[in-house]
Amino acid sequence: MGARFDEVIKEINKGRRFLVVSHVSPEGDAIGSLLGLALALRSIGKDVVAYLEDQVPEMFRFLPGADTIVHSLDVMGPFDVTFAVDCGQKERLGKGFVALKTPGMIINMDHHATNDRFGAINVIEPEASAAGELVYDLCAAAGIKFDREMAVNLYVAIHTDTGSFRYSSSSPAAFMKAGELVKAGADPWDVSCRVYENFPARKYKLLAMVLSTLEVTGLDGRGEIASLVVTLDMFKKSGAETELSDGFVNYARGIEGVEAGVLFRECGVNEYKVSLRSKGAVNVAAIASAFNGGGHKNAAGFTVKGSLEEIRTKVMAAIRSALSAMPGRVAN
Ligand SMILES: [Mn+2]
């Protein structure tokens, strides 16, 4: 099982100073796999900088090591090795990283099928439920023992990216690794309380506004596509920050009969972040790719310029065409 990490372990043994990075707008897997790996490397005596362009969302600040994450690389180089985790494109690591002249050898560890293999070494495994699983496997292959702090981070990475073990990515391997991480000290209820039972009231004020935008449409009058909109004005009125709308798209998908859920989030003047969720029949990664985005079969997204109505028309057309290509459907 360790063979796929042979080259990576060689670089770990050779290197002294390491950089670990993940994507902008970080969520549980980005932060958990970043910190899990940073702590693992520190535990074997390596000098490690953990970097995220963006701040760690409030709900993940309890993660062990979160207070060591830096948000500027100006005086940090040079590095022997940079690990990029959970990130499909180099640009998504943020401007600060792209501008870094001395990242050393880039090792790209990810589970997005749309990863463009920007590393010198690429460990890309779309069947992994989370990048945290790859960090787990690397640690196991390198003989690094999990302490409680690493375990909590990797457990959160797998727990959040599997939607609390609800998604189809919840493989036997994901459950097995989560079990081992619980054995190593991750506390499932403590994690649930901190991640899912600890939201500020302003999140629910925002959610109430967003749910009022619900539209359900589809082919032949069937309600197979549900969409929601969140505007800058709603963020302002509720006092909620952007990250608090994470996951709202799942309310659209969660409707009876709906195959695809969409959330249009206004992020600038005539600019929208579009999140797509599928129950399985529609491959939303393929739709996102057509708009220069990426993701997984059941969860993908992209950013696009235009008015809401223009964007909505294009996205709905793309989903309708994917729906009409479903087995047993007649195209119309
Ligand atoms: Mn992930």
Side-chain angles (χ1 to χ4, degrees), residues 21-146:
V21 296
S22 191
H23 59 78
V24 295
S25 306
E27 19 65 328
D29 186 27
I31 303 162
S33 54
L34 173 103
L35 288 173
L37 181 55
L39 292 170
L41 293 170
R42 282 178 195 144
S43 79
I44 54 167
K46 304 295 179 180
D47 183 7
V48 185
V49 172
Y51 168 82
L52 289 172
E53 173 112 342
D54 295 334
Q55 295 298 316
V56 174
E58 186 69 42
M59 66 201 280
F60 295 119
R61 287 193 195 151
F62 76 98
L63 287 172
D67 54 343
T68 69
I69 293 174
V70 301
H71 306 286
S72 163
L73 288 170
D74 287 353
V75 293
M76 294 293 182
F79 297 97
D80 299 318
V81 175
T82 289
F83 277 98
V85 293
D86 196 40
C87 186
Q89 285 80 34
K90 191 175 172 187
E91 299 66 40
R92 284 208 77 220
L93 296 167
K95 293 190 194 79
F97 177 75
V98 172
L100 176 70
K101 293 204 173 63
T102 53
M105 175 175 279
I106 296 179
I107 300 176
N108 173 9
M109 296 204 332
D110 186 29
H111 67 129
H112 296 91
T114 49
N115 189 294
D116 66 13
R117 308 183 76 86
F118 60 85
I121 300 176
N122 299 283
V123 181
I124 313 302
E125 299 191 356
E127 65 285 357
S129 69
E133 273 202 54
L134 301 181
V135 174
Y136 179 106
D137 290 344
L138 171 59
C139 290
I144 299 172
K145 230 176 100 47
F146 298 114

Side-chain angles (χ1 to χ4, degrees), residues 297-330:
K297 197 172 158 281
N298 286 355
F302 58 91
T303 302
V304 64
K305 297 227 181 236
S307 74
L308 177 59
E309 284 327 302
E310 284 163 13
I311 296 165
R312 184 198 285 276
T313 305
K314 282 186 202 158
V315 172
M316 290 300 171
I319 299 173
R320 277 199 192 92
S321 118
L323 278 172
S324 62
M326 274 166 61
R329 298 296 297 265
V330 180

